[in-house]
């Protein structure tokens, strides 16, 4: 499972729109779309998204099957 898929699943679960994610990351909506298409999230993006959804970076990177911080 890719990082983009995990982020997308968290967004759906939390009813979070891509425009909201763009605002949180300080980038344009089209930049977010490109990141999803290429699964090219930076480490800075991953850290911010992990904090936003209260999950571990390891979960977003596919190194953990559970979303919790204590994995």
């Amino acid at each position: 499972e890719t990082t983009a898929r995990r982020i997308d699943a968290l967004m759906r679960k939390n009813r979070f729109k891509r425009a909201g994610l763009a605002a949180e990351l300080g980038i344009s909506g089209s930049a977010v779309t490109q990141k999803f298409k290429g699964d090219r999230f930076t480490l800075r993006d991953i850290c911010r998204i992990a904090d936003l959804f209260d999950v571990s970076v390891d979960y977003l990177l596919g190194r953990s099957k559970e979303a919790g911080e204590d994995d």
Side-chain angles (χ1 to χ4, degrees):
E1 188 172 38
T2 66
T3 299
R5 284 186 185 183
R6 288 193 173 197
I7 293 169
D8 190 54
L10 286 168
M11 289 174 62
R12 279 186 274 115
K13 178 181 176 185
N14 291 282
R15 297 180 182 189
F16 207 84
K17 304 287 183 191
R18 286 191 180 183
L21 184 62
E24 289 290 331
L25 297 178
I27 59 176
S28 69
S30 62
V32 167
T33 298
Q34 291 303 315
K35 286 178 182 286
F36 272 98
K37 284 183 180 179
D39 199 8
R40 295 198 177 187
F41 291 90
T42 65
L43 182 56
R44 178 180 162 260
D45 297 336
I46 298 294
C47 290
R48 285 186 170 188
I49 293 166
D51 288 344
L52 177 65
F53 293 113
D54 196 27
V55 298
S56 70
V57 169
D58 280 349
Y59 172 74
L60 292 176
L61 295 176
R63 295 173 43 112
S64 171
K65 292 183 181 182
E66 300 295 322
E69 293 283 348
D70 56 356
D71 296 337

